[in-house]
């Protein structure tokens, strides 16, 4: 029998054919989301609630009965609230003095305030410990005058809050700086023209305009406070333990995992709730300038001499608070154990022995290489995966795409320790979803974990960048008969290049010394920087290990600065072509030398000849 | 009312205005006109106090305000962007200056409602966010916000430049009505010559950081003192100088509306043989461009056009309307 012609069927096939690349991409994205973002977390949840008798809430009851756990939850909320206030005060102040007011030496101040961009987490806490800790310089100096003082004065809530505040201003600096710079100068001039004082302008015009940015930074600060790890872990002591260190200690014992999960879920729920409140607030008001033309913002001079003097004093005091730990860390990294122990530095105290040890002890050196390789790999994979997803999101608007968009945020809702735990418990036996492989104990699971942790941030950044791509570029290219892939390669990617480089650099930097996820996932053969540094910060650490902490911290800062320099100073510089040319030439020379050596030829004559 | 003498404005090494002398009378609608970068906005910003001059003085209502800060000058300003505070509603925007001046809330309310009535903003609109208003309404809010403070001078920095042509035309009329209603001395900055001609009592034309000419709209339009002013203010055509018995450096120009087909229309006419090069339709009228045998191009506007491109005809130019510039620039005896 002849088959009847079915135009609908034909058109369905045609549609399939037309969108085959998108369909294949979507299938891969769904596979990744289901297998790596959803399944491991569902497994952990099931582990906690499902017992032999079915669903049970015994663990929840157990958690609520535990004084220790409840005090952790309470402390986390207290820290988050306190940080929301202190980080805003400090964060807004440093942005005002670097971007809004005319302050002498603003550029230097800015560099100091930006130090948190290149060091954070355990290293930053270590830096503050070097000054204020029980072995710290300041504590030792104070001991000379107050021999009976409590050497652990910096431990507990106030110490945690102090360190978390100065560690937590990165988001404020990042977002508020841009928002302040892009403010319409006419708004300030209009207010001045209406006789408003500088303080009145700040409180009634500037801050209300910056409200959404401040709020976004506050939400991130609040989440940072809730999930704070390094500061409470090292400085919290027994009196001030928060959820994240608690989760870490609970997951390390099998019986505590379900409690850790419930604690993690509380964290996740609080985070989601905050994000929802923020979204609702954001959609309810107008904060952006309604002007069609925006005039360039000019810094404001503080005319009142006394006020100007006070603002300068505070600005420089904060500069010292920000930079002193880093300066001490760098200084101590070049001194011997005696200087570190006594806090007295003489000419004979300086040594390079610590650095020699770093380069010669394979365990130390390889931890650097491991961290760089793993974090680079994860950052690249996260960008490629999210790029694929966001590219689809920008082309298709349907429920599936919306679901993918939401799914990419899952890792923000779950503490990283639990994400790591989920991966660990899901892939510790051969699993058909990963081609019957056991991932536990392999490098793959660590890179996978890092990738997952970086997906939400990458997705937000790339989505925003895609939204800013003028659709007419694509239409213009299509009109000039360019194929889709050609447009993508030659038009879209170059426009997004700055964002891609920035995200790569930021992702890599934040993963370099990760500890909370790494501690569960790293293969014992490949220790990373975070694991090693943590071992140096333990209270029982010796003078020698503290010296190594400073060396690790200094080199970590150096690597972070180099990554940012390569990203912003080379790849995103206006003189990019020239820089890349120089790098290529240097690489050619180096490869030439190497090739000559391998060939057993005299390298001197031919080393400068580029490889053709 | 405003007396500016020997004013000089610099931004770093760049001189935005050189040796400006200008007097603006009380109640006058005075326009600073010129192309982008000519220094007109710098002059306005110096009057308001946002820019400090490096030389010269500014006297406002008998007070030397050259060194005086913005907030003490009693000069209201409406920005090109209107600069309405986006986080406040219309009422709060207008009340902003009154609240800064610590007026009682009852007075604030009365004054805001009063000024809103005068600029035709209703009570419903006062409750709305400025972002929800149309361009025209936003302009009225910005004017109300400035006027409620009862300034002695109102400065307007290209307030119509962001609007579409129709709205711009409508608001131009509203602006003029408001200025007449309040009788306030107004300094207006624009690059739009039509706006300047229709709104102003007097116009100051600027180019490259110096003042070219000051005068009434009629004066600057029909008797420009420089070639720049003649070409900047409306369409103008250069015509052969030999026709009028002038030579050397002197150039002759004629406005579009002083070129005729009929010798009877011109009082003292000069004939000119031309060929039609193009005809453009503008709805209400046609603009026809002609070329003389020696290569000069000129245009005129006609209601009806019965000619076609390539037609040859004779035009008549009113000798008394010819503009002589350059050289000794004096009109020769007829």
């Amino acid at each position: 029998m002849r088959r009847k012609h079915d135009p609908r069927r034909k058109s369905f096939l045609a549609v399939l054919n037309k969108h085959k690349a998108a369909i294949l991409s979507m299938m891969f994205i769904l596979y990744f989301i289901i297998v790596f973002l959803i399944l491991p977390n569902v497994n952990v949840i099931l582990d906690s609630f499902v017992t032999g008798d079915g669903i049970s809430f015994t663990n929840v009851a157990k958690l609520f009965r535990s004084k220790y756990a409840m005090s952790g939850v309470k402390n986390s909320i207290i820290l988050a609230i306190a940080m929301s206030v202190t980080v805003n005060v400090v964060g807004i102040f440093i942005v005002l003095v670097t971007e809004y007011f005319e302050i002498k030496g603003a550029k230097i101040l800015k560099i100091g305030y930006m130090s948190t961009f290149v060091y954070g987490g355990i290293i930053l806490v270590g830096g503050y410990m070097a000054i204020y800790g029980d072995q710290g310089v300041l504590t030792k100096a104070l001991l000379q005058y107050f021999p009976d003082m409590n050497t652990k004065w910096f431990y507990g809530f106030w110490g945690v809050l102090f360190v978390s505040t100065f560690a937590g201003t990165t988001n404020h600096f990042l977002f508020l700086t841009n928002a302040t710079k892009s403010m319409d100068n006419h708004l300030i001039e209009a207010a001045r023209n209406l006789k408003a004082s500088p303080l009145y302008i700040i409180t009634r015009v500037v801050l209300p305009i910056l409200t959404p940015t401040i709020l976004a930074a506050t939400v991130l600060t609040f989440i940072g406070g809730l999930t704070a790890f390094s500061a409470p872990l090292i400085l919290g002591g027994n009196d001030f333990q928060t959820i994240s260190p608690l989760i870490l200690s609970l997951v390390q014992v099998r019986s505590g995992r379900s409690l850790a999960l419930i604690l993690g879920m509380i964290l996740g729920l609080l985070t989601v709730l905050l994000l929802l409140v923020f979204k609702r607030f954001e959609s309810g008001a107008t904060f952006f300038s309604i002007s069609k033309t925006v005039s360039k913002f000019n810094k404001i001079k503080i005319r009142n001499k006394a006020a100007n003097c006070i603002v300068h004093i505070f600005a420089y005091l904060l500069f010292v608070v920000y930079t002193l730990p880093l300066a001490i860390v760098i200084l101590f990294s070049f001194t011997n154990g005696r200087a570190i122990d006594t806090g007295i530095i003489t000419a004979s105290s300086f040594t390079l022995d610590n650095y020699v040890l770093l380069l010669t002890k394979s365990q130390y050196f390889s931890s650097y290489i491991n961290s760089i390789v793993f974090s680079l790999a994860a950052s690249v994979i996260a960008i490629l995966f999210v790029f694929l997803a966001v590219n689809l999101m920008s082309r298709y608007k349907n429920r599936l795409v919306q679901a993918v968009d939401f799914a990419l945020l899952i890792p923000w809702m779950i503490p990283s320790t639990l994400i790591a735990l989920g991966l660990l418990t899901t892939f510790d036996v051969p699993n058909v979803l990963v081609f019957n492989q056991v991932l536990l104990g392999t490098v793959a699971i660590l890179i996978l974990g890092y990738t997952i942790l970086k997906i939400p941030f990458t997705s937000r950044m790339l989505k925003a960048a895609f939204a800013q791509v003028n659709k007419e570029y694509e239409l213009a290219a299509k009109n000039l008969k360019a194929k889709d892939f050609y447009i993508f390669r030659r038009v879209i990617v170059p426009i997004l290049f700055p964002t891609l480089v920035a995200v790569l650099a930021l992702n890599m930097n934040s993963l370099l010394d990760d500890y909370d996820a790494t501690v569960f996932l790293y293969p014992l053969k490949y220790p990373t920087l975070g694991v090693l540094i943590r071992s140096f910060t333990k209270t029982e650490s010796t003078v020698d290990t503290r010296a190594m902490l400073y060396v690790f911290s200094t080199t970590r800062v150096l690597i972070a600065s180099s990554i940012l320099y390569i990203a912003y100073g080379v790849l995103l510089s206006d003189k990019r072509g020239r820089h890349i040319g120089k790098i290529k030439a240097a690489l050619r020379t180096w490869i030439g030398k190497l090739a000559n050596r391998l060939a057993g030829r005299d390298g001197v004559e031919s080393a400068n000849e580029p490889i053709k | 009312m405003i007396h500016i003498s020997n004013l000089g404005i610099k931004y770093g090494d760049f001189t935005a205005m050189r040796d400006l002398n200008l007097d603006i009378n009380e109640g006058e609608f005075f326009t600073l006109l010129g192309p982008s970068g000519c220094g007109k906005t710098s002059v306005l910003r110096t009057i308001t106090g946002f820019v400090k001059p490096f030389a010269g003085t500014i006297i406002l209502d008998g007070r030397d305000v050259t060194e005086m800060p913005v907030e003490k000058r009693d000069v209201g300003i409406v920005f090109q962007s209107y600069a309405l505070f986006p986080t406040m509603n219309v009422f709060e925007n207008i009340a902003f200056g009154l609240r800064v001046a610590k007026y009682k809330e009852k007075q604030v309310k009365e004054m805001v409602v009063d000024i809103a009535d005068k600029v035709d903003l209703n009570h419903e609109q006062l409750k709305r966010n400025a972002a929800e208003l149309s361009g025209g309404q936003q302009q009225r809010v910005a004017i109300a916000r400035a006027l409620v403070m009862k300034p002695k001078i109102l400065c307007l920095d290209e307030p119509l430049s962001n609007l579409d042509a129709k709205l711009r035309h409508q608001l131009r009329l509203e602006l003029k009505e408001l200025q007449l209603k309040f009788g306030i001395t107004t300094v207006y900055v624009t690059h739009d010559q039509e706006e300047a001609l229709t709104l102003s009592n007097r116009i100051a034309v600027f180019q490259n950081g110096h003042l070219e000419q000051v005068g009434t709209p009629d004066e600057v339009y029909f008797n420009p003192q420089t070639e720049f002013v003649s070409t900047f203010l409306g369409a103008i055509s250069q015509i052969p100088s030999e026709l009028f018995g002038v030579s050397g450096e002197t150039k002759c120009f004629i406005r579009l509306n002083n070129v005729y087909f009929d010798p009877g229309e011109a009082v003292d006419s000069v004939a000119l043989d031309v060929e039609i090069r193009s005809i453009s339709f503008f709805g209400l009228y046609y603009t026809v461009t002609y070329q003389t045998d020696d290569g000069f191009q000129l245009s005129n506007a006609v209601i009806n056009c019965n000619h076609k491109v390539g037609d040859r005809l004779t035009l008549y130019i009113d000798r008394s309307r010819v503009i002589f510039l350059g050289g000794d620039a004096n009109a020769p005896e007829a």
Side-chain angles (χ1 to χ4, degrees), chain A residues 184-187 189-197 200 204-205 208-209 286-293 298 303, chain B residues 45 50 70-71 74-77 79-81 83-88 96-97 99-100 129-131 138 145 149 162:
Chain A
D184 185 359
N185 199 47
H186 283 163
L187 292 173
E189 289 184 340
R192 281 183 66 198
N193 182 254
L194 294 165
K195 305 182 197 301
S197 67
Y200 195 88
R204 300 299 300 272
V205 179
I209 290 171
T286 312
F287 300 97
F288 50 86
S289 171
I290 51 173
S291 310
K292 285 182 182 163
T293 50
N298 296 323
R303 289 180 193 280
Chain B
R45 290 174 66 79
F50 292 124
V70 181
E71 56 275 13
D74 281 336
V75 178
I77 186 164
F79 290 94
Q80 183 181 6
S81 59
L84 298 180
F85 305 124
T87 52
M88 301 176 197
F96 186 91
R99 284 175 173 160
V100 170
N129 188 288
Q138 284 183 17
R145 187 177 68 179
M149 300 303 292
N162 289 330

Coordinates of all heavy atoms in Angstrom, one line a residue, chain A residues 184-187 189-197 200 204-205 208-209 286-293 298 303, chain B residues 45 50 70-71 74-77 79-81 83-88 96-97 99-100 129-131 138 145 149 162:
Chain A
D184 N 24.4 59.2 36.8 CA 24.2 60.5 36.0 C 24.6 61.7 36.8 O 24.0 62.0 37.8 CB 22.7 60.6 35.6 CG 22.5 61.7 34.6 OD1 23.4 62.4 34.3 OD2 21.3 61.9 34.2
N185 N 25.7 62.3 36.3 CA 26.2 63.5 37.1 C 25.2 64.6 37.2 O 25.2 65.3 38.2 CB 27.4 64.0 36.3 CG 28.3 64.9 37.2 OD1 28.6 64.5 38.4 ND2 28.7 66.0 36.8
H186 N 24.3 64.7 36.3 CA 23.2 65.7 36.3 C 22.3 65.6 37.6 O 21.8 66.6 38.1 CB 22.4 65.7 35.1 CG 23.0 66.3 33.9 ND1 22.6 66.1 32.6 CD2 24.1 67.1 33.8 CE1 23.4 66.8 31.8 NE2 24.3 67.4 32.5
L187 N 22.2 64.3 38.0 CA 21.4 64.1 39.2 C 22.0 64.8 40.4 O 21.3 65.5 41.3 CB 21.2 62.7 39.5 CG 20.3 61.9 38.5 CD1 20.4 60.4 38.8 CD2 18.9 62.4 38.5
E189 N 24.2 67.3 40.3 CA 24.2 68.7 40.0 C 22.9 69.3 40.3 O 22.7 70.4 40.8 CB 24.7 69.0 38.6 CG 26.2 68.7 38.4 CD 26.6 69.1 37.0 OE1 25.8 69.2 36.1 OE2 27.9 69.2 36.8
A190 N 21.8 68.6 39.9 CA 20.4 69.1 40.2 C 20.2 69.2 41.7 O 19.7 70.2 42.1 CB 19.4 68.1 39.6
A191 N 20.7 68.2 42.4 CA 20.5 68.3 43.9 C 21.3 69.4 44.5 O 20.8 70.2 45.4 CB 20.9 67.0 44.5
R192 N 22.5 69.6 44.0 CA 23.4 70.8 44.4 C 22.7 72.1 44.1 O 22.7 73.0 44.9 CB 24.7 70.7 43.8 CG 25.7 69.7 44.4 CD 27.0 69.8 43.7 NE 27.7 71.0 44.0 CZ 28.7 71.5 43.3 NH1 29.2 70.8 42.2 NH2 29.3 72.6 43.6
N193 N 22.1 72.2 42.9 CA 21.5 73.4 42.5 C 20.3 73.7 43.4 O 19.9 74.8 43.6 CB 21.0 73.2 41.0 CG 20.4 74.4 40.5 OD1 19.2 74.5 40.3 ND2 21.2 75.4 40.2
L194 N 19.7 72.6 43.9 CA 18.5 72.8 44.8 C 19.0 73.0 46.3 O 18.3 72.7 47.2 CB 17.6 71.6 44.7 CG 16.9 71.6 43.3 CD1 16.2 70.2 43.1 CD2 15.9 72.7 43.1
K195 N 20.3 73.3 46.5 CA 20.9 73.7 47.7 C 21.1 72.5 48.7 O 21.2 72.7 49.9 CB 20.1 74.8 48.4 CG 20.0 76.0 47.5 CD 19.2 77.1 48.3 CE 18.7 78.2 47.4 NZ 19.6 78.9 46.5
A196 N 21.1 71.3 48.2 CA 21.3 70.1 49.1 C 22.8 70.0 49.5 O 23.6 70.2 48.7 CB 20.8 68.8 48.4
S197 N 23.0 69.6 50.8 CA 24.4 69.5 51.2 C 24.9 68.1 50.7 O 24.2 67.3 50.4 CB 24.4 69.5 52.8 OG 23.7 68.3 53.2
Y200 N 23.3 65.2 52.5 CA 21.9 65.1 52.1 C 21.9 64.4 50.7 O 21.1 63.6 50.4 CB 21.3 66.5 52.0 CG 19.8 66.5 52.0 CD1 19.0 66.4 53.1 CD2 19.1 66.5 50.7 CE1 17.6 66.4 53.1 CE2 17.7 66.5 50.7 CZ 17.0 66.4 51.9 OH 15.6 66.4 51.8
R204 N 20.0 61.0 50.3 CA 18.7 61.1 49.6 C 18.7 60.9 48.1 O 17.7 60.6 47.5 CB 18.0 62.5 49.9 CG 17.8 62.8 51.3 CD 16.8 61.8 52.0 NE 15.5 61.8 51.3 CZ 14.5 62.6 51.7 NH1 14.7 63.5 52.7 NH2 13.4 62.5 51.0
V205 N 19.9 61.0 47.5 CA 19.9 60.8 46.0 C 20.8 59.6 45.7 O 20.4 58.7 45.0 CB 20.4 62.1 45.3 CG1 20.5 61.9 43.8 CG2 19.5 63.3 45.6
P208 N 19.8 56.0 47.5 CA 18.6 55.4 46.9 C 18.8 54.9 45.5 O 18.3 53.8 45.1 CB 17.6 56.5 47.0 CG 18.1 57.4 48.1 CD 19.6 57.3 48.1
I209 N 19.7 55.6 44.7 CA 19.9 55.1 43.4 C 20.7 53.9 43.4 O 20.5 53.0 42.6 CB 20.6 56.2 42.5 CG1 19.7 57.4 42.3 CG2 21.2 55.7 41.2 CD1 20.3 58.6 41.7
T286 N 11.8 51.8 40.6 CA 12.7 52.3 39.5 C 13.9 52.9 40.2 O 13.8 53.8 41.1 CB 12.1 53.4 38.7 OG1 10.8 52.9 38.3 CG2 12.9 53.7 37.5
F287 N 15.1 52.4 39.9 CA 16.3 52.9 40.5 C 17.3 53.5 39.5 O 18.1 54.3 39.8 CB 17.1 51.8 41.3 CG 16.2 51.1 42.4 CD1 15.6 50.0 42.1 CD2 16.1 51.8 43.6 CE1 14.8 49.4 43.1 CE2 15.4 51.2 44.6 CZ 14.7 50.0 44.4
F288 N 17.2 53.0 38.3 CA 18.1 53.5 37.3 C 17.7 54.9 36.8 O 16.6 55.3 37.0 CB 18.1 52.5 36.1 CG 16.7 52.2 35.6 CD1 16.1 53.0 34.7 CD2 16.0 51.1 36.1 CE1 14.8 52.8 34.3 CE2 14.7 50.9 35.7 CZ 14.1 51.7 34.8
S289 N 18.7 55.5 36.3 CA 18.4 56.9 35.8 C 17.4 56.8 34.6 O 17.5 56.0 33.8 CB 19.7 57.5 35.3 OG 19.4 58.7 34.7
I290 N 16.4 57.7 34.6 CA 15.4 57.7 33.6 C 15.8 58.6 32.4 O 15.1 58.8 31.5 CB 14.0 58.0 34.1 CG1 14.1 59.4 34.9 CG2 13.4 57.0 34.9 CD1 12.7 59.9 35.3
S291 N 17.0 59.2 32.6 CA 17.5 60.1 31.6 C 17.8 59.4 30.3 O 18.4 58.3 30.4 CB 18.7 60.8 32.1 OG 18.5 61.4 33.3
K292 N 17.6 60.0 29.2 CA 18.0 59.4 27.9 C 19.5 59.7 27.7 O 20.1 58.9 27.0 CB 17.1 59.9 26.8 CG 15.8 59.3 26.8 CD 14.9 59.8 25.7 CE 13.5 59.2 25.8 NZ 12.6 59.9 25.0
T293 N 20.0 60.8 28.2 CA 21.4 61.0 28.1 C 21.9 61.0 29.5 O 21.4 61.7 30.4 CB 21.7 62.4 27.4 OG1 20.9 63.3 28.1 CG2 21.3 62.4 26.0
N298 N 31.4 63.1 37.8 CA 32.6 63.8 38.3 C 32.7 63.7 39.8 O 31.7 63.9 40.5 CB 32.6 65.3 37.9 CG 32.6 65.5 36.4 OD1 33.2 64.8 35.7 ND2 31.8 66.5 35.9
R303 N 33.9 70.2 50.8 CA 34.3 71.6 51.1 C 34.6 71.9 52.6 O 35.4 72.7 52.9 CB 33.2 72.5 50.6 CG 33.2 72.6 49.1 CD 32.1 73.5 48.5 NE 31.9 73.2 47.1 CZ 32.7 73.7 46.2 NH1 33.7 74.4 46.4 NH2 32.5 73.4 44.9
Chain B
R45 N 26.9 76.6 32.3 CA 27.4 75.9 33.5 C 28.2 76.9 34.4 O 28.3 76.7 35.6 CB 28.2 74.7 33.2 CG 27.3 73.6 32.6 CD 28.1 72.4 32.2 NE 28.7 71.7 33.3 CZ 28.1 70.8 34.1 NH1 26.8 70.6 33.9 NH2 28.8 70.3 35.0
F50 N 28.5 75.5 38.1 CA 29.1 74.2 38.0 C 30.5 74.2 37.5 O 31.3 73.3 37.6 CB 28.2 73.2 37.2 CG 26.9 72.9 37.8 CD1 25.7 73.1 37.2 CD2 26.9 72.4 39.1 CE1 24.5 72.8 37.8 CE2 25.7 72.1 39.7 CZ 24.5 72.3 39.0
V70 N 27.4 76.9 43.8 CA 26.2 76.7 43.1 C 24.9 77.0 44.0 O 24.0 77.7 43.6 CB 26.0 75.2 42.8 CG1 24.8 74.9 42.0 CG2 27.2 74.7 42.0
E71 N 25.0 76.5 45.2 CA 23.8 76.6 46.1 C 23.4 78.0 46.6 O 22.4 78.2 47.1 CB 23.9 75.6 47.3 CG 25.1 75.7 48.2 CD 26.4 75.0 47.6 OE1 26.4 74.6 46.5 OE2 27.3 74.9 48.4
D74 N 20.9 81.3 43.5 CA 19.6 81.5 43.1 C 19.4 81.4 41.6 O 18.7 82.2 41.0 CB 19.1 82.9 43.5 CG 18.7 82.9 45.0 OD1 18.4 81.9 45.5 OD2 18.8 84.0 45.6
V75 N 20.0 80.4 41.1 CA 19.8 80.1 39.6 C 19.2 78.7 39.5 O 19.8 77.7 40.0 CB 21.2 80.1 38.9 CG1 21.0 79.8 37.4 CG2 21.8 81.5 39.0
G76 N 18.1 78.6 38.9 CA 17.5 77.2 38.7 C 18.0 76.6 37.4 O 18.4 77.4 36.5
I77 N 18.0 75.3 37.3 CA 18.5 74.7 36.1 C 17.6 73.5 35.7 O 17.2 72.7 36.6 CB 20.0 74.3 36.2 CG1 20.5 73.8 34.8 CG2 20.3 73.3 37.3 CD1 22.0 73.7 34.6
F79 N 18.1 70.3 33.2 CA 19.1 69.7 32.4 C 18.6 69.0 31.1 O 17.3 68.8 31.1 CB 19.8 68.5 33.2 CG 20.6 69.1 34.4 CD1 20.1 69.2 35.6 CD2 21.9 69.4 34.2 CE1 20.8 69.7 36.7 CE2 22.7 69.9 35.2 CZ 22.2 70.0 36.5
Q80 N 19.5 68.8 30.2 CA 19.1 68.1 29.0 C 18.4 66.8 29.3 O 17.4 66.4 28.7 CB 20.3 67.8 28.2 CG 20.1 67.2 26.8 CD 21.4 66.9 26.1 OE1 22.5 67.1 26.6 NE2 21.3 66.5 24.9
S81 N 18.9 66.1 30.3 CA 18.3 64.8 30.7 C 17.1 65.0 31.7 O 16.5 64.0 32.1 CB 19.4 63.9 31.4 OG 19.9 64.6 32.5
A83 N 17.2 65.1 34.6 CA 17.8 64.7 35.9 C 16.8 64.6 37.0 O 17.0 65.0 38.1 CB 19.0 65.7 36.3
L84 N 15.7 64.0 36.7 CA 14.7 63.7 37.7 C 15.2 62.5 38.6 O 15.7 61.6 38.1 CB 13.3 63.4 37.1 CG 12.7 64.5 36.2 CD1 11.4 64.1 35.6 CD2 12.6 65.8 37.0
F85 N 15.0 62.7 39.9 CA 15.5 61.6 40.8 C 14.7 60.4 40.6 O 13.5 60.4 40.9 CB 15.5 62.1 42.3 CG 16.3 63.4 42.4 CD1 15.7 64.5 43.0 CD2 17.6 63.5 42.0 CE1 16.4 65.7 43.2 CE2 18.3 64.7 42.2 CZ 17.7 65.8 42.7
P86 N 15.3 59.3 40.2 CA 14.5 58.1 39.8 C 13.8 57.4 40.9 O 12.9 56.7 40.7 CB 15.5 57.2 39.1 CG 16.8 57.6 39.6 CD 16.7 59.1 39.9
T87 N 14.4 57.6 42.1 CA 13.8 56.9 43.3 C 12.6 57.7 43.9 O 12.1 57.2 44.9 CB 14.9 56.6 44.3 OG1 15.5 57.9 44.6 CG2 15.9 55.7 43.8
M88 N 12.3 58.8 43.4 CA 11.3 59.6 44.0 C 10.1 59.8 43.0 O 10.3 59.8 41.8 CB 11.8 61.0 44.3 CG 13.0 61.0 45.3 SD 13.7 62.6 45.5 CE 15.3 62.2 46.2
F96 N 11.8 68.4 46.6 CA 13.2 68.2 47.0 C 13.9 69.4 47.6 O 14.3 69.4 48.7 CB 14.0 67.6 45.9 CG 15.4 67.2 46.3 CD1 15.7 65.9 46.7 CD2 16.5 68.1 46.3 CE1 17.0 65.5 47.1 CE2 17.8 67.7 46.6 CZ 18.0 66.4 47.0
G97 N 13.9 70.5 46.8 CA 14.6 71.7 47.2 C 13.9 72.4 48.4 O 14.6 72.9 49.3
R99 N 12.3 70.8 50.8 CA 12.6 70.1 52.0 C 14.1 70.3 52.4 O 14.3 70.3 53.6 CB 12.4 68.6 51.7 CG 10.9 68.3 51.8 CD 10.6 66.8 51.4 NE 9.2 66.5 51.6 CZ 8.5 65.5 51.0 NH1 9.2 64.7 50.2 NH2 7.3 65.4 51.3
V100 N 15.0 70.5 51.5 CA 16.3 70.8 51.8 C 16.3 72.2 52.6 O 17.0 72.3 53.6 CB 17.2 71.0 50.5 CG1 18.6 71.5 50.9 CG2 17.4 69.6 49.9
N129 N 5.6 57.9 39.6 CA 7.1 57.9 39.5 C 7.4 58.7 38.3 O 6.8 58.5 37.3 CB 7.7 56.5 39.5 CG 9.2 56.5 39.6 OD1 9.9 56.9 38.6 ND2 9.7 56.2 40.7
A130 N 8.5 59.4 38.3 CA 8.9 60.3 37.2 C 9.1 59.4 35.9 O 8.9 59.9 34.8 CB 10.2 61.0 37.5
A131 N 9.5 58.1 36.1 CA 9.8 57.3 35.0 C 8.5 56.9 34.2 O 8.6 56.6 33.1 CB 10.5 56.0 35.5
Q138 N 7.7 65.0 31.9 CA 9.0 65.0 32.6 C 9.6 66.4 32.6 O 10.2 66.9 33.5 CB 10.0 64.0 32.1 CG 9.6 62.6 32.5 CD 10.7 61.6 31.9 OE1 11.7 62.0 31.5 NE2 10.3 60.3 31.9
R145 N 10.3 71.8 39.4 CA 11.3 71.6 40.4 C 12.2 72.8 40.6 O 12.6 73.2 41.7 CB 12.0 70.3 40.2 CG 13.0 69.9 41.3 CD 13.7 68.6 41.0 NE 14.6 68.7 39.9 CZ 15.4 67.7 39.5 NH1 15.3 66.5 40.0 NH2 16.2 67.9 38.5
M149 N 11.5 76.9 43.6 CA 12.5 77.5 44.5 C 12.6 79.0 44.3 O 13.4 79.7 44.9 CB 13.9 76.9 44.3 CG 14.0 75.4 44.6 SD 13.5 75.0 46.2 CE 14.8 75.7 47.2
N162 N 16.1 65.6 23.4 CA 15.9 64.2 23.4 C 14.5 63.8 22.9 O 14.2 62.6 22.9 CB 16.0 63.7 24.9 CG 17.4 63.7 25.4 OD1 18.3 63.6 24.6 ND2 17.5 63.9 26.7

